[in-house]
C-alpha cells in the first residue's frame, strides 16, 4: 500500500456560493437573509431553494427545501432567481485561480474542488499558510469567502472543509486522521445519505469511529463493495488520486444529410441517432452534463445554435433527448429544407466515486 505520508490534499468549497455572488454584485444585500431559488409567489410558489445566505440559515432555510416552506420560515428574506450564467462565470475564475495553486486539480462541482498540493506546499512554511494564501486571493480577487479542509486524503479533506463553515480552515495532521474522524457522525462521509445513515444506525453505527471498528467482513456482507469503501474512509485509508479535471469541454456530433431534408420525421430520426451517439460517449467518458446544445443548418447555409441548461448535472438520455427536441422545435415551421443538424453536451463534470455512492444510497 502506498503511503499517505507526504500527500497534502486541499478540499475547497465556496460559502453559500450563489447567495454570496449575489451579495457581491449588490452590496446592499450584505447582512440580510438572501434566498436564491424559485419565485416564492407570496408563499404559493412551487419549486425549491437553491441556496441561501447564512443569515437565512438561522431561520431553518436550506438548499432543496420547498420555496413555500422557506417563505413561511423567513418571509422578510430577499428572494432572488437563479442567475446561472453569472455563477458559472465566477466559478470559472475561482477554479482557474485554485488550479494555479495546485500540482493536480479536480473540480467536483460548480463551487467545489480538490487540490493536490503535495509539491507546491513546499514553497510555503506550512499547509496552513498556503491555505490562508488561497483564501486571501479569492477574497481579494472575487470578494468571496470559502472554506478549506487540509488532510492527507480526499475524504478527510472534504469532511474537514465542512466543519467550520463559513470562512473556515481545518487542518488535519497526517498522524491525527483517525483521531479527527472518530467522533464525527457517519453522515459526514460523502455519500452517506439519510437511508444509508438509517441502515448504519440499525447496526448500532452512528459515528465514523464505530464504523472504523467494524469487522470489514460484516460491512461488505451488508453493503457489498461500498462496505469496503466506507471502512477505508472511516479508517483514514482511502487513497484516491486527485484526478486532473478533464480538458474536454463538450461532446457532440453532427450529421449532414445526403440531400437536404424537408420531412420532419426524417429530422427526428436523425436527432434520435445523434442523441444515442452523444449519450454513449457521455457514459463512456463518465461525464455528467448540465447543458444541451443543438445546431441546425438550412439549405441556404444559414446556421443557428441553441442551448438549454439545467441546474443539476445529469447523464440521463431522456434529458438529453427532451432538451434537444425542444430546442430543435423552434425551427420546425421554417419552410426551408435542412442541410445539417448537430447535438452536443457541455458544462461537463466527471462522475466521481462519491457520486456513485451517493446515488446508490438514496
Ligand atoms: P453547496 O456548496 O452545497 O452550498 P453553498 O455553497 O450554497 O453553501 P455552503 O456554504 O454550505 O457550501 O452548493 C453550491 C451551490 O450549488 C449552491 O450555492 C447552490 C447550488 N445548489 C443547488 O442549486 N441546489 C442544491 O440542492 C444544492 C445543495 C446546491
Ligand atoms: Mg459551497
Amino acid at each position: 500500500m502506498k503511503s499517505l505520508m507526504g500527500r497534502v490534499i486541499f478540499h475547497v468549497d465556496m460559502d453559500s456560493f450563489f447567495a454570496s455572488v449575489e451579495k457581491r454584485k449588490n452590496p446592499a444585500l450584505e447582512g440580510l437573509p438572501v434566498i436564491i431559488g424559485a419565485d416564492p409567489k407570496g408563499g404559493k410558489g412551487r419549486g425549491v431553494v437553491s441556496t441561501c445566505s447564512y443569515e437565512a440559515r438561522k431561520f431553518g432555510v436550506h438548499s432543496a427545501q420547498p420555496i413555500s416552506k422557506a417563505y413561511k420560515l423567513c418571509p422578510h428574506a430577499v428572494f432572488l432567481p437563479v442567475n446561472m450564467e453569472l455563477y458559472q462565470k465566477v466559478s470559472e475564475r475561482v477554479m482557474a485561480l485554485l488550479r494555479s495553486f495546485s500540482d493536480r486539480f479536480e473540480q467536483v462541482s460548480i463551487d467545489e474542488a480538490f487540490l493536490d498540493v503535495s509539491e507546491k506546499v513546499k514553497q510555503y512554511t506550512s499547509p496552513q499558510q498556503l491555505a490562508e494564501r488561497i483564501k486571501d486571493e479569492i477574497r481579494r480577487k472575487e470578494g468571496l469567502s470559502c472554506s478549506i479542509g487540509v488532510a492527507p486524503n480526499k475524504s478527510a479533506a472534504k469532511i474537514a472543509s465542512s466543519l467550520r463553515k463559513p470562512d473556515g480552515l481545518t487542518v488535519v495532521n497526517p498522524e491525527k486522521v483517525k483521531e479527527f474522524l472518530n467522533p464525527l457522525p457517519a453522515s459526514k462521509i460523502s455519500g452517506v445519505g439519510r437511508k444509508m445513515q438509517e441502515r448504519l444506525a440499525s447496526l448500532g453505527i452512528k459515528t465514523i469511529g464505530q464504523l472504523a471498528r467494524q469487522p470489514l467482513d460484516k460491512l461488505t456482507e451488508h453493503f457489498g463493495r461500498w462496505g469496503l469503501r466506507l471502512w477505508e474512509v472511516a479508517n483514514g485509508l482511502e487513497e484516491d488520486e486527485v484526478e486532473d479535471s478533464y480538458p474536454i469541454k463538450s461532446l457532440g456530433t453532427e450529421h449532414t444529410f445526403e440531400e437536404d431534408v424537408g420531412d420532419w420525421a426524417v429530422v427526428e430520426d436523425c436527432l434520435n441517432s445523434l442523441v444515442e451517439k452523444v449519450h454513449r460517449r457521455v457514459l463512456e467518458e463518465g461525464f455528467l452534463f448540465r447543458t444541451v446544445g443543438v445546431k441546425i443548418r438550412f439549405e441556404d447555409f444559414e446556421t443557428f445554435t441553441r442551448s438549454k441548461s439545467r441546474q443539476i448535472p445529469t447523464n440521463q438520455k431522456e434529458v438529453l433527448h427532451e432538451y434537444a427536441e425542444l430546442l430543435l422545435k423552434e425551427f420546425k415551421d421554417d419552410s426551408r429544407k435542412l442541410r445539417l443538424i448537430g447535438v452536443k453536451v457541455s458544462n461537463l463534470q466527471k462522475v466521481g466515486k462519491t457520486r456513485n455512492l451517493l446515488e446508490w444510497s438514496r
Side-chain angles (χ1 to χ4, degrees):
M1 190 162 58
K2 278 176 292 146
S3 168
L4 292 177
M5 299 304 270
R7 283 219 307 171
V8 185
I9 311 294
F10 285 10
H11 180 257
V12 182
D13 190 303
M14 304 302 292
D15 300 321
S16 54
F17 184 51
F18 296 1
S20 302
V21 172
E22 294 291 351
K23 282 193 175 189
R24 189 205 49 181
K25 193 172 132 209
N26 178 6
L29 299 174
E30 201 46 58
L32 299 179
V34 175
I35 299 174
I36 314 294
D39 183 348
K41 296 188 178 157
K44 296 200 180 66
R46 294 156 66 83
V48 295
V49 174
S50 240
T51 192
C52 61
S53 67
Y54 279 78
E55 290 85 350
R57 293 183 196 196
K58 288 186 201 142
F59 295 87
V61 180
H62 60 79
S63 290
Q65 186 174 54
I67 198 80
S68 54
K69 173 94 187 281
Y71 188 83
K72 248 183 229 136
L73 292 169
C74 195
H76 61 287
V78 179
F79 288 85
L80 295 172
V82 175
N83 181 352
M84 197 50 107
E85 307 308 314
L86 172 64
Y87 314 144
Q88 193 65 46
K89 276 196 194 116
V90 177
S91 166
E92 277 165 25
R93 290 199 303 265
V94 169
M95 294 299 155
L97 196 144
L98 292 176
R99 187 189 287 271
S100 73
F101 279 100
S102 43
D103 307 316
R104 273 215 282 227
F105 176 80
E106 179 182 347
Q107 183 174 349
V108 267
S109 78
I110 192 163
D111 84 325
E112 184 190 347
F114 287 106
L115 285 61
D116 186 328
V117 296
S118 307
E119 288 303 315
K120 283 254 174 18
V121 78
K122 293 176 182 161
Q123 300 162 23
Y124 297 81
T125 55
S126 64
Q128 168 120 12
Q129 196 203 20
L130 172 55
E132 272 162 6
R133 170 81 199 283
I134 290 174
K135 282 163 71 79
D136 286 347
E137 284 285 292
I138 297 180
R139 193 175 295 109
R140 198 167 59 80
K141 295 214 169 108
E142 298 296 335
L144 296 171
S145 74
C146 65
S147 296
I148 302 186
V150 179
N153 69 11
K154 286 166 83 174
S155 47
K158 182 164 168 93
I159 292 173
S161 74
S162 73
L163 291 186
R164 298 201 177 94
K165 267 185 164 290
D167 205 12
L169 171 55
T170 303
V171 180
V172 185
N173 289 325
E175 66 280 9
K176 298 218 167 125
V177 175
K178 283 199 73 170
E179 211 173 297
F180 164 77
L181 293 173
N182 278 339
L184 298 172
S187 58
K188 275 282 169 196
I189 296 175
S190 176
V192 176
R194 202 170 42 81
K195 267 195 200 152
M196 187 64 170
Q197 215 178 319
E198 282 165 13
R199 291 178 69 187
L200 288 171
S202 73
L203 299 171
I205 303 167
K206 294 229 162 84
T207 66
I208 298 183
Q210 287 167 339
L211 188 52
R213 283 192 296 275
Q214 300 300 312
L216 179 54
D217 287 1
K218 180 176 159 192
L219 291 176
T220 51
E221 191 186 304
H222 282 276
F223 305 112
R225 64 200 170 100
W226 298 115
L228 170 61
R229 172 79 184 169
L230 287 171
W231 185 86
E232 282 178 349
V233 169
N235 280 289
L237 298 172
E238 169 271 300
E239 294 188 335
D240 294 352
E241 300 282 351
V242 172
E243 286 180 39
D244 266 316
S245 291
Y246 224 71
I248 294 180
K249 288 229 166 89
S250 67
L251 278 179
T253 184
E254 49 188 53
H255 177 78
T256 306
F257 297 108
E258 297 282 327
E259 278 173 38
D260 298 340
V261 173
D263 181 352
W264 198 255
V266 176
V267 175
E268 284 196 336
D269 271 354
C270 178
L271 181 73
N272 287 343
S273 81
L274 294 179
V275 164
E276 287 286 340
K277 260 192 210 158
V278 173
H279 185 250
R280 207 175 311 132
R281 293 240 11 236
V282 164
L283 295 186
E284 277 165 10
E285 301 279 352
F287 280 130
L288 298 170
F289 60 85
R290 277 205 313 105
T291 303
V292 175
V294 298
K295 177 169 164 184
I296 192 160
R297 178 169 296 149
F298 287 106
E299 56 191 338
D300 57 4
F301 275 83
E302 193 177 8
T303 306
F304 297 88
T305 57
R306 292 286 183 269
S307 70
K308 182 173 162 59
S309 296
R310 68 200 309 269
Q311 242 168 287
I312 313 286
T314 183
N315 58 9
Q316 280 179 29
K317 188 161 69 185
E318 293 71 28
V319 175
L320 174 52
H321 189 259
E322 183 195 322
Y323 279 30
E325 204 170 35
L326 199 76
L327 291 165
L328 216 53
K329 230 186 223 158
E330 177 189 338
F331 303 98
K332 195 173 175 180
D333 295 330
D334 200 293
S335 57
R336 289 172 290 179
K337 285 185 173 172
L338 284 178
R339 182 180 166 80
L340 168 151
I341 62 170
V343 174
K344 76 169 185 181
V345 291
S346 55
N347 279 317
L348 304 176
Q349 29 178 286
K350 277 273 182 186
V351 187
K353 283 188 183 140
T354 47
R355 202 171 290 277
N356 285 331
L357 182 55
L358 190 73
E359 274 161 6
W360 176 84
S361 67
R362 273 206 186 114

PDB file of all heavy atoms in Angstrom, residues 13-18 49-51 54 57 63-64 110-111 165 311-312, ligand 1:
ATOM      1  N   ASP A  13     -14.363  24.616  -0.738  1.00  0.00           N
ATOM      2  CA  ASP A  13     -15.800  24.750  -1.037  1.00  0.00           C
ATOM      3  C   ASP A  13     -16.225  26.188  -0.744  1.00  0.00           C
ATOM      4  O   ASP A  13     -16.007  26.694   0.358  1.00  0.00           O
ATOM      5  CB  ASP A  13     -16.605  23.770  -0.178  1.00  0.00           C
ATOM      6  CG  ASP A  13     -18.070  23.689  -0.597  1.00  0.00           C
ATOM      7  OD1 ASP A  13     -18.747  24.735  -0.615  1.00  0.00           O
ATOM      8  OD2 ASP A  13     -18.539  22.572  -0.901  1.00  0.00           O
ATOM      9  N   MET A  14     -16.795  26.843  -1.745  1.00  0.00           N
ATOM     10  CA  MET A  14     -17.206  28.238  -1.567  1.00  0.00           C
ATOM     11  C   MET A  14     -18.378  28.310  -0.578  1.00  0.00           C
ATOM     12  O   MET A  14     -19.204  27.410  -0.524  1.00  0.00           O
ATOM     13  CB  MET A  14     -17.641  28.838  -2.914  1.00  0.00           C
ATOM     14  CG  MET A  14     -16.580  28.755  -4.006  1.00  0.00           C
ATOM     15  SD  MET A  14     -15.039  29.570  -3.554  1.00  0.00           S
ATOM     16  CE  MET A  14     -15.576  31.267  -3.519  1.00  0.00           C
ATOM     17  N   ASP A  15     -18.436  29.384   0.170  1.00  0.00           N
ATOM     18  CA  ASP A  15     -19.504  29.546   1.166  1.00  0.00           C
ATOM     19  C   ASP A  15     -20.766  30.107   0.516  1.00  0.00           C
ATOM     20  O   ASP A  15     -20.690  31.092  -0.222  1.00  0.00           O
ATOM     21  CB  ASP A  15     -19.039  30.486   2.279  1.00  0.00           C
ATOM     22  CG  ASP A  15     -17.813  29.946   3.000  1.00  0.00           C
ATOM     23  OD1 ASP A  15     -17.740  28.718   3.224  1.00  0.00           O
ATOM     24  OD2 ASP A  15     -16.921  30.751   3.318  1.00  0.00           O
ATOM     25  N   SER A  16     -21.896  29.516   0.834  1.00  0.00           N
ATOM     26  CA  SER A  16     -23.220  29.910   0.293  1.00  0.00           C
ATOM     27  C   SER A  16     -23.062  30.524  -1.098  1.00  0.00           C
ATOM     28  O   SER A  16     -23.440  31.676  -1.329  1.00  0.00           O
ATOM     29  CB  SER A  16     -23.927  30.885   1.246  1.00  0.00           C
ATOM     30  OG  SER A  16     -23.106  31.998   1.531  1.00  0.00           O
ATOM     31  N   PHE A  17     -22.554  29.711  -2.018  1.00  0.00           N
ATOM     32  CA  PHE A  17     -21.967  30.252  -3.239  1.00  0.00           C
ATOM     33  C   PHE A  17     -22.880  31.207  -4.026  1.00  0.00           C
ATOM     34  O   PHE A  17     -22.536  32.369  -4.230  1.00  0.00           O
ATOM     35  CB  PHE A  17     -21.479  29.108  -4.134  1.00  0.00           C
ATOM     36  CG  PHE A  17     -20.770  29.581  -5.369  1.00  0.00           C
ATOM     37  CD1 PHE A  17     -19.734  30.501  -5.291  1.00  0.00           C
ATOM     38  CD2 PHE A  17     -21.149  29.120  -6.623  1.00  0.00           C
ATOM     39  CE1 PHE A  17     -19.079  30.954  -6.432  1.00  0.00           C
ATOM     40  CE2 PHE A  17     -20.488  29.564  -7.763  1.00  0.00           C
ATOM     41  CZ  PHE A  17     -19.462  30.479  -7.669  1.00  0.00           C
ATOM     42  N   PHE A  18     -24.053  30.729  -4.480  1.00  0.00           N
ATOM     43  CA  PHE A  18     -24.896  31.589  -5.321  1.00  0.00           C
ATOM     44  C   PHE A  18     -25.284  32.859  -4.553  1.00  0.00           C
ATOM     45  O   PHE A  18     -25.288  33.960  -5.112  1.00  0.00           O
ATOM     46  CB  PHE A  18     -26.183  30.868  -5.764  1.00  0.00           C
ATOM     47  CG  PHE A  18     -25.983  29.670  -6.655  1.00  0.00           C
ATOM     48  CD1 PHE A  18     -24.716  29.233  -7.025  1.00  0.00           C
ATOM     49  CD2 PHE A  18     -27.094  28.967  -7.147  1.00  0.00           C
ATOM     50  CE1 PHE A  18     -24.537  28.123  -7.846  1.00  0.00           C
ATOM     51  CE2 PHE A  18     -26.927  27.855  -7.974  1.00  0.00           C
ATOM     52  CZ  PHE A  18     -25.656  27.438  -8.314  1.00  0.00           C
ATOM     53  N   VAL A  49     -35.553  25.886  -2.976  1.00  0.00           N
ATOM     54  CA  VAL A  49     -34.437  26.766  -2.642  1.00  0.00           C
ATOM     55  C   VAL A  49     -33.162  26.170  -3.257  1.00  0.00           C
ATOM     56  O   VAL A  49     -32.894  24.986  -3.065  1.00  0.00           O
ATOM     57  CB  VAL A  49     -34.253  26.842  -1.103  1.00  0.00           C
ATOM     58  CG1 VAL A  49     -33.000  27.629  -0.740  1.00  0.00           C
ATOM     59  CG2 VAL A  49     -35.500  27.415  -0.442  1.00  0.00           C
ATOM     60  N   SER A  50     -32.428  27.007  -3.978  1.00  0.00           N
ATOM     61  CA  SER A  50     -31.124  26.570  -4.494  1.00  0.00           C
ATOM     62  C   SER A  50     -30.096  26.654  -3.382  1.00  0.00           C
ATOM     63  O   SER A  50     -29.393  25.705  -3.084  1.00  0.00           O
ATOM     64  CB  SER A  50     -30.700  27.499  -5.620  1.00  0.00           C
ATOM     65  OG  SER A  50     -30.540  26.811  -6.782  1.00  0.00           O
ATOM     66  N   THR A  51     -29.997  27.833  -2.823  1.00  0.00           N
ATOM     67  CA  THR A  51     -29.181  28.012  -1.621  1.00  0.00           C
ATOM     68  C   THR A  51     -29.626  29.295  -0.940  1.00  0.00           C
ATOM     69  O   THR A  51     -30.481  30.005  -1.450  1.00  0.00           O
ATOM     70  CB  THR A  51     -27.676  28.064  -1.930  1.00  0.00           C
ATOM     71  OG1 THR A  51     -26.949  27.957  -0.700  1.00  0.00           O
ATOM     72  CG2 THR A  51     -27.279  29.360  -2.610  1.00  0.00           C
ATOM     73  N   TYR A  54     -26.055  32.669   5.000  1.00  0.00           N
ATOM     74  CA  TYR A  54     -26.014  32.143   6.371  1.00  0.00           C
ATOM     75  C   TYR A  54     -27.022  32.849   7.276  1.00  0.00           C
ATOM     76  O   TYR A  54     -27.543  32.241   8.210  1.00  0.00           O
ATOM     77  CB  TYR A  54     -24.585  32.180   6.923  1.00  0.00           C
ATOM     78  CG  TYR A  54     -23.798  30.979   6.423  1.00  0.00           C
ATOM     79  CD1 TYR A  54     -23.278  30.949   5.133  1.00  0.00           C
ATOM     80  CD2 TYR A  54     -23.653  29.835   7.204  1.00  0.00           C
ATOM     81  CE1 TYR A  54     -22.615  29.833   4.640  1.00  0.00           C
ATOM     82  CE2 TYR A  54     -22.985  28.713   6.727  1.00  0.00           C
ATOM     83  CZ  TYR A  54     -22.469  28.721   5.447  1.00  0.00           C
ATOM     84  OH  TYR A  54     -21.832  27.609   4.961  1.00  0.00           O
ATOM     85  N   ARG A  57     -30.081  30.911   6.927  1.00  0.00           N
ATOM     86  CA  ARG A  57     -29.985  29.553   7.505  1.00  0.00           C
ATOM     87  C   ARG A  57     -30.403  29.550   8.974  1.00  0.00           C
ATOM     88  O   ARG A  57     -30.890  28.548   9.483  1.00  0.00           O
ATOM     89  CB  ARG A  57     -28.576  28.988   7.340  1.00  0.00           C
ATOM     90  CG  ARG A  57     -28.255  28.749   5.870  1.00  0.00           C
ATOM     91  CD  ARG A  57     -26.903  28.129   5.610  1.00  0.00           C
ATOM     92  NE  ARG A  57     -26.578  28.308   4.193  1.00  0.00           N
ATOM     93  CZ  ARG A  57     -25.643  27.664   3.533  1.00  0.00           C
ATOM     94  NH1 ARG A  57     -24.887  26.781   4.152  1.00  0.00           N
ATOM     95  NH2 ARG A  57     -25.437  27.910   2.252  1.00  0.00           N
ATOM     96  N   SER A  63     -30.909  24.477   1.280  1.00  0.00           N
ATOM     97  CA  SER A  63     -30.971  24.009  -0.113  1.00  0.00           C
ATOM     98  C   SER A  63     -31.985  22.882  -0.245  1.00  0.00           C
ATOM     99  O   SER A  63     -32.128  22.056   0.655  1.00  0.00           O
ATOM    100  CB  SER A  63     -29.612  23.468  -0.555  1.00  0.00           C
ATOM    101  OG  SER A  63     -28.679  24.488  -0.679  1.00  0.00           O
ATOM    102  N   ALA A  64     -32.672  22.860  -1.383  1.00  0.00           N
ATOM    103  CA  ALA A  64     -33.597  21.800  -1.766  1.00  0.00           C
ATOM    104  C   ALA A  64     -34.927  21.820  -0.991  1.00  0.00           C
ATOM    105  O   ALA A  64     -35.788  20.978  -1.206  1.00  0.00           O
ATOM    106  CB  ALA A  64     -32.955  20.411  -1.656  1.00  0.00           C
ATOM    107  N   ILE A 110     -19.814  23.093  -9.149  1.00  0.00           N
ATOM    108  CA  ILE A 110     -19.663  24.498  -9.530  1.00  0.00           C
ATOM    109  C   ILE A 110     -18.849  25.287  -8.489  1.00  0.00           C
ATOM    110  O   ILE A 110     -18.179  26.248  -8.818  1.00  0.00           O
ATOM    111  CB  ILE A 110     -21.053  25.144  -9.780  1.00  0.00           C
ATOM    112  CG1 ILE A 110     -20.915  26.507 -10.457  1.00  0.00           C
ATOM    113  CG2 ILE A 110     -21.866  25.264  -8.487  1.00  0.00           C
ATOM    114  CD1 ILE A 110     -22.178  27.030 -11.089  1.00  0.00           C
ATOM    115  N   ASP A 111     -18.852  24.838  -7.230  1.00  0.00           N
ATOM    116  CA  ASP A 111     -18.182  25.660  -6.204  1.00  0.00           C
ATOM    117  C   ASP A 111     -17.212  24.854  -5.345  1.00  0.00           C
ATOM    118  O   ASP A 111     -16.874  25.267  -4.240  1.00  0.00           O
ATOM    119  CB  ASP A 111     -19.228  26.350  -5.312  1.00  0.00           C
ATOM    120  CG  ASP A 111     -19.720  25.473  -4.176  1.00  0.00           C
ATOM    121  OD1 ASP A 111     -19.830  24.254  -4.371  1.00  0.00           O
ATOM    122  OD2 ASP A 111     -19.975  26.019  -3.092  1.00  0.00           O
ATOM    123  N   LYS A 165     -17.570  26.063   8.517  1.00  0.00           N
ATOM    124  CA  LYS A 165     -18.159  26.979   7.552  1.00  0.00           C
ATOM    125  C   LYS A 165     -18.923  28.065   8.276  1.00  0.00           C
ATOM    126  O   LYS A 165     -19.516  27.772   9.299  1.00  0.00           O
ATOM    127  CB  LYS A 165     -19.109  26.218   6.629  1.00  0.00           C
ATOM    128  CG  LYS A 165     -18.416  25.758   5.374  1.00  0.00           C
ATOM    129  CD  LYS A 165     -19.375  25.111   4.430  1.00  0.00           C
ATOM    130  CE  LYS A 165     -18.764  25.010   3.052  1.00  0.00           C
ATOM    131  NZ  LYS A 165     -18.601  26.252   2.344  1.00  0.00           N
ATOM    132  N   GLN A 311     -29.898  23.036 -13.792  1.00  0.00           N
ATOM    133  CA  GLN A 311     -29.076  23.330 -12.622  1.00  0.00           C
ATOM    134  C   GLN A 311     -28.269  22.131 -12.160  1.00  0.00           C
ATOM    135  O   GLN A 311     -27.111  22.234 -11.812  1.00  0.00           O
ATOM    136  CB  GLN A 311     -29.980  23.761 -11.479  1.00  0.00           C
ATOM    137  CG  GLN A 311     -29.723  25.163 -11.023  1.00  0.00           C
ATOM    138  CD  GLN A 311     -30.833  25.605 -10.104  1.00  0.00           C
ATOM    139  OE1 GLN A 311     -31.942  25.868 -10.541  1.00  0.00           O
ATOM    140  NE2 GLN A 311     -30.544  25.651  -8.837  1.00  0.00           N
ATOM    141  N   ILE A 312     -28.939  20.997 -12.143  1.00  0.00           N
ATOM    142  CA  ILE A 312     -28.311  19.797 -11.600  1.00  0.00           C
ATOM    143  C   ILE A 312     -27.721  18.977 -12.746  1.00  0.00           C
ATOM    144  O   ILE A 312     -28.419  18.663 -13.697  1.00  0.00           O
ATOM    145  CB  ILE A 312     -29.358  18.923 -10.860  1.00  0.00           C
ATOM    146  CG1 ILE A 312     -30.213  19.781  -9.928  1.00  0.00           C
ATOM    147  CG2 ILE A 312     -28.696  17.763 -10.132  1.00  0.00           C
ATOM    148  CD1 ILE A 312     -29.546  20.253  -8.677  1.00  0.00           C
TER     149      ILE A 312
HETATM  150  P1  LIG B   1     -23.120  23.882  -1.775  1.00  0.00           P
HETATM  151  O1  LIG B   1     -21.633  24.049  -1.716  1.00  0.00           O
HETATM  152  O2  LIG B   1     -23.699  22.591  -1.315  1.00  0.00           O
HETATM  153  O3  LIG B   1     -23.839  25.025  -0.939  1.00  0.00           O
HETATM  154  P2  LIG B   1     -23.431  26.536  -0.728  1.00  0.00           P
HETATM  155  O4  LIG B   1     -22.148  26.868  -1.388  1.00  0.00           O
HETATM  156  O5  LIG B   1     -24.584  27.398  -1.140  1.00  0.00           O
HETATM  157  O6  LIG B   1     -23.321  26.644   0.844  1.00  0.00           O
HETATM  158  P3  LIG B   1     -22.149  26.115   1.800  1.00  0.00           P
HETATM  159  O7  LIG B   1     -21.566  27.328   2.438  1.00  0.00           O
HETATM  160  O8  LIG B   1     -22.833  25.223   2.773  1.00  0.00           O
HETATM  161  O9  LIG B   1     -21.166  25.390   0.934  1.00  0.00           O
HETATM  162  O10 LIG B   1     -23.622  24.097  -3.256  1.00  0.00           O
HETATM  163  C1  LIG B   1     -23.045  25.054  -4.141  1.00  0.00           C
HETATM  164  C2  LIG B   1     -24.106  25.727  -4.957  1.00  0.00           C
HETATM  165  O11 LIG B   1     -24.851  24.767  -5.681  1.00  0.00           O
HETATM  166  C3  LIG B   1     -25.104  26.498  -4.131  1.00  0.00           C
HETATM  167  O12 LIG B   1     -24.675  27.826  -3.854  1.00  0.00           O
HETATM  168  C4  LIG B   1     -26.342  26.436  -4.966  1.00  0.00           C
HETATM  169  C5  LIG B   1     -26.227  25.155  -5.752  1.00  0.00           C
HETATM  170  N1  LIG B   1     -27.109  24.128  -5.164  1.00  0.00           N
HETATM  171  C6  LIG B   1     -28.395  23.982  -5.672  1.00  0.00           C
HETATM  172  O13 LIG B   1     -28.781  24.699  -6.604  1.00  0.00           O
HETATM  173  N2  LIG B   1     -29.229  23.059  -5.104  1.00  0.00           N
HETATM  174  C7  LIG B   1     -28.859  22.259  -4.056  1.00  0.00           C
HETATM  175  O14 LIG B   1     -29.646  21.435  -3.557  1.00  0.00           O
HETATM  176  C8  LIG B   1     -27.523  22.416  -3.545  1.00  0.00           C
HETATM  177  C9  LIG B   1     -27.061  21.572  -2.369  1.00  0.00           C
HETATM  178  C10 LIG B   1     -26.700  23.353  -4.130  1.00  0.00           C
END
